[in-house]
Amino acid sequence: MNGNFCVKTASVHFLLLLTFFVREIFSSEVPRPRGVSLSRASLYPPDTDFICFDGSKTIPFIRINDDYCDCLDASDEPGTSACPNGLFHCTNAGHRPLNIPSNRVNDGICDCCDGSDEYATETSCQNNCIELGRSAREAAQKNADLIKAGKQIRAEMGQKGVQLKQEKKMKLADLKKNRDEAEKLKLEKEALKKEIESLENKALEYYRKLEDEAKIMKEEEESAPQRAEAVETFNKFDSNQDGWLEISEVKVSTSFDQDGNGEVSDEEAKFYLNFQESVDLDTFVKTCWKTLRPVIFREGAEKTPEKKDENENLEEEDEMQDDQELEEESEDHDYEDEEQESQEPDQATEALPTIKYDDETQQLVERATAARNEYEEARKLVNDIDREIKKIEEYLGKDFGTDEEFAALEGQCFDYEDHEYIYKLCPFDKTTQQPKSGGSNVRLGFWGHWSGAEHNKYEQMTFESGQSCWNGPKRTTVVRVTCGSDNKVLSVSEPNRCEYFFEFVTPAACHEAPVVENEDLHDEL
Ligand code: MAN
């Protein structure tokens, strides 16, 4: 079995060597080992020993392409798959030459259009370099025509861009001048306002005092009935009439039985006494009454310690009514007083008699109001100018291309519709996705930066920090920008969840492709 294998390997080697020499002798215009480009042919002088390119080894020339990897840099096996890191050069006469990884040599798949990579397999590769070359040249010509026409438009877009930036710069200079004046005016108005406000304050001090007094009087008037009610209740409960309400005096009313066990415990009673053993009338009115009042009115007067007299029967009906109202209120609000408190100032102000100022004060108030308005206007003007300045500075800071050719796209949006969504590309602003079936517009990213390769960063835009993906990262968009006769989104895809890819064409991207130097791919078309 092993012997057989060795014989087989030896015969493959022999076949390879034979093929090599036959090819070298009969088919090459310039003698060179298989898989070597014309420009590198001189690195393989046939009449001397071969030194690996990395200098690590010297081998007889016959061991070039002997299907055994001698050199670590693969330089001795340009035409076989023996070295894992080698490159095989296809001449592809009639089309573009190509370098392929050497593991694709004799792997049964035609990689080179001239079929030269499959020289020792049964795969018969057709040489279709002529046809491929022709269509490649036609496509290149079409592209060249497109670029030529597009370049013209690009130049116009660039001119427009330069003009736009120029206009913005002029506007900025104007705004900065205006801002200085506006700021001066604002400071003047502020000083005037302060001056007149200090006079106004002085004049109003007297009236404020009057207002405060009126307010206090009104509050007292309003709280008088409540206070009377509280005092009356205190006296009812204070059975020994010593001016103190004690736990034992509160316990007699079953109204305070919170857990419904038929008895009022000390703790339950204390709750209504502001957690104290006893309270005097003043404390009762100020603090306990709030807690106690709703309970008393809810439970009915018959549970208070004192027996009702006949006259009180009439009052009872009233209280029952109050009770009902209270209950209705307390359904909406746990603490009715809170509600009352929040309404009080309004009610108080409404009900307060409007104080009339004397003529001089009235005039001061009017002048101060006018000064405040004028200052406010001046302040707003400065803010508006600042906002505009910021916008223009942001605009001027944007990279619209080497010749400002992309500037004209700023402020425009371009749509693309597929079966499910309408996508929008707004260069230098954002990308969005609107579901056709309804639902909200999803932001796929805000303008980030140009992200093309080093030699042409303007071939790609990146939009980032879009709406967060469900349980995932924020959405992002990459826009591939190539030459086209119009501004148009050609396609939109989502290669990974919440990562979107737009293909956008625009005349602004029409320019000759930068020349990438690669001598190996130059010499044999
Ligand atoms: C929406 C769209 C899709 C996206 C999913 C992620 O349906 O924005 O593009 O993949 O949300 O949940």
Side-chain angles (χ1 to χ4, degrees):
M1 188 74 170
N2 245 349
N4 253 351
F5 177 75
C6 287
V7 173
K8 222 171 163 183
T9 317
S11 47
V12 168
H13 277 192
F14 176 72
L15 198 73
L16 284 171
L17 283 173
L18 191 69
T19 323
F20 166 72
F21 285 113
V22 169
R23 189 179 152 88
E24 294 313 303
I25 293 161
F26 295 107
S27 64
S28 255
E29 315 78 19
V30 178
R32 52 187 156 133
R34 185 191 299 279
V36 173
S37 68
L38 188 59
S39 58
R40 294 166 85 88
S42 62
L43 301 175
Y44 292 86
D47 42 5
T48 62
D49 284 348
F50 177 74
I51 305 169
C52 301
F53 292 168
D54 60 9
S56 59
K57 226 180 201 179
T58 303
I59 54 171
F61 188 78
I62 191 107
R63 276 166 60 181
I64 300 285
N65 281 341
D66 66 346
D67 207 20
Y68 182 85
C69 192
D70 293 290
C71 304
L72 284 175
D73 64 1
S75 53
D76 65 311
E77 293 298 317
T80 75
S81 56
C83 297
N85 49 341
L87 277 180
F88 178 88
H89 180 85
C90 327
T91 304
N92 288 349
H95 190 29
R96 242 177 259 123
L98 186 68
N99 289 328
I100 59 168
S102 55
N103 62 3
R104 294 201 194 155
V105 173
N106 292 326
D107 65 347
I109 298 168
C110 309
D111 293 288
C112 305
C113 66
D114 61 5
S116 58
D117 59 313
E118 294 301 319
Y119 57 87
T121 55
E122 285 182 357
T123 316
S124 74
C125 298
Q126 293 219 333
N127 184 335
N128 54 1
C129 289
I130 300 289
E131 296 85 69
L132 285 180
R134 189 180 307 121
S135 35
R137 278 187 293 280
E138 276 169 16
Q141 184 56 48
K142 244 173 132 179
N143 196 37
D145 292 345
L146 178 69
I147 287 176
K148 201 170 157 204
K151 265 172 74 178
Q152 181 61 33
I153 307 174
R154 178 186 188 273
E156 286 160 17
M157 289 172 86
Q159 275 168 17
K160 201 170 155 201
V162 170
Q163 193 188 330
L164 279 170
K165 273 209 167 166
Q166 193 52 35
E167 281 168 14
K168 295 272 182 190
K169 275 183 194 155
M170 276 157 58
K171 181 99 211 273
L172 184 63
D174 272 359
L175 280 172
K176 284 192 169 162
K177 223 166 66 198
N178 290 351
R179 194 202 181 279
D180 288 346
E181 282 162 27
E183 180 67 25
K184 227 167 85 193
L185 187 73
K186 183 181 107 174
L187 292 175
E188 278 169 25
K189 296 288 178 194
E190 191 175 18
L192 276 175
K193 178 178 89 90
K194 274 190 183 152
E195 198 181 312
I196 189 95
E197 271 181 343
S198 123
L199 295 174
E200 181 198 40
N201 258 332
K202 260 186 220 142
L204 286 182
E205 222 164 82
Y206 165 73
Y207 291 98
R208 282 210 192 98
K209 227 188 257 165
L210 283 187
E211 267 173 6
D212 287 348
E213 281 166 14
K215 201 172 157 198
I216 290 167
M217 266 173 66
K218 189 170 181 312
E219 272 168 13
E220 275 170 5
E221 260 168 41
E222 274 172 4
S223 64
Q226 274 222 31
R227 189 180 159 81
E229 214 172 33
V231 172
E232 196 188 330
T233 309
F234 182 91
N235 289 332
K236 268 186 201 169
F237 277 95
D238 181 18
S239 45
N240 61 6
Q241 299 291 301
D242 66 347
W244 287 87
L245 205 56
E246 284 132 35
I247 292 180
S248 56
E249 288 167 328
V250 173
K251 278 174 79 171
V252 295
S253 168
T254 53
S255 315
F256 307 125
D257 173 18
Q258 290 178 46
D259 57 14
N261 68 352
E263 271 180 30
V264 181
S265 68
D266 284 3
E267 286 315 305
E268 284 169 333
K270 251 176 141 178
F271 173 74
Y272 294 100
L273 294 181
N274 206 24
F275 301 101
Q276 294 173 52
E277 297 289 324
S278 58
V279 292
D280 63 5
L281 177 64
D282 202 39
T283 316
F284 179 82
V285 173
K286 281 187 185 143
T287 55
C288 307
W289 183 233
K290 254 189 216 169
T291 330
L292 225 93
R293 186 178 187 272
V295 179
I296 289 173
F297 286 131
R298 186 159 37 242
E299 296 302 325
E302 78 274 6
K303 287 184 182 170
T304 54
E306 205 177 84
K307 284 218 157 67
K308 295 163 288 181
D309 62 31
E310 277 169 20
N311 291 339
E312 280 176 317
N313 279 343
L314 283 172
E315 283 171 26
E316 188 188 352
E317 277 172 29
D318 289 347
E319 279 178 7
M320 292 273 276
Q321 217 173 334
D322 278 355
D323 189 14
Q324 229 175 0
E325 279 165 20
L326 263 171
E327 268 187 45
E328 277 164 20
E329 271 177 39
S330 64
E331 269 170 25
D332 292 340
H333 310 285
D334 284 347
Y335 300 100
E336 66 197 65
D337 292 76
E338 252 177 40
E339 175 80 352
Q340 270 180 4
E341 261 166 31
S342 67
Q343 286 176 2
E344 262 167 25
D346 282 330
Q347 286 170 350
T349 349
E350 261 172 40
L352 277 177
T354 339
I355 293 174
K356 199 165 166 9
Y357 304 134
D358 64 75
D359 286 352
E360 204 182 323
T361 310
Q362 183 61 35
Q363 258 187 28
L364 270 175
V365 169
E366 280 163 19
R367 278 176 58 204
T369 307
R372 273 189 287 272
N373 289 344
E374 281 174 28
Y375 166 72
E376 197 45 42
E377 239 172 71
R379 194 189 59 84
K380 234 180 114 241
L381 182 65
V382 173
N383 282 356
D384 288 349
I385 295 177
D386 279 346
R387 221 170 294 124
E388 225 177 314
I389 286 179
K390 194 166 165 241
K391 247 168 76 184
I392 295 185
E393 281 177 342
E394 268 171 22
Y395 178 91
L396 291 174
K398 279 184 183 166
D399 180 354
F400 291 134
T402 47
D403 304 314
E404 312 293 350
E405 67 276 18
F406 290 98
L409 302 181
E410 217 260 358
Q412 292 199 62
C413 293
F414 306 96
D415 286 1
Y416 179 82
E417 208 173 314
D418 69 9
H419 61 285
E420 218 178 337
Y421 301 107
I422 299 171
Y423 291 92
K424 231 181 233 309
L425 163 67
C426 310
F428 308 105
D429 184 11
K430 62 180 181 234
T431 47
T432 59
Q433 179 196 53
Q434 172 80 58
K436 281 176 160 177
S437 56
S440 58
N441 211 6
V442 178
R443 202 180 53 244
L444 304 185
F446 284 121
W447 167 250
H449 52 272
W450 289 105
S451 55
E454 206 184 320
H455 64 272
N456 183 18
K457 68 169 173 167
Y458 302 108
E459 69 189 358
Q460 193 170 288
M461 297 171 165
T462 293
F463 292 77
E464 45 208 9
S465 300
Q467 253 159 273
S468 291
C469 202
W470 175 251
N471 273 342
K474 290 187 168 175
R475 288 173 169 81
T476 52
T477 310
V478 164
V479 181
R480 167 73 47 187
V481 184
T482 52
C483 169
S485 49
D486 296 309
N487 300 315
K488 196 171 177 196
V489 178
L490 293 186
S491 72
V492 175
S493 53
E494 192 180 342
N496 294 306
R497 194 165 152 261
C498 295
E499 289 176 18
Y500 301 86
F501 179 71
F502 285 45
E503 280 188 289
F504 178 60
V505 291
T506 168
C510 294
H511 51 81
E512 272 84 23
V515 182
V516 182
E517 270 312 319
N518 186 343
E519 53 176 39
D520 261 12
L521 299 178
H522 254 306
D523 48 17
E524 292 165 73
L525 194 78

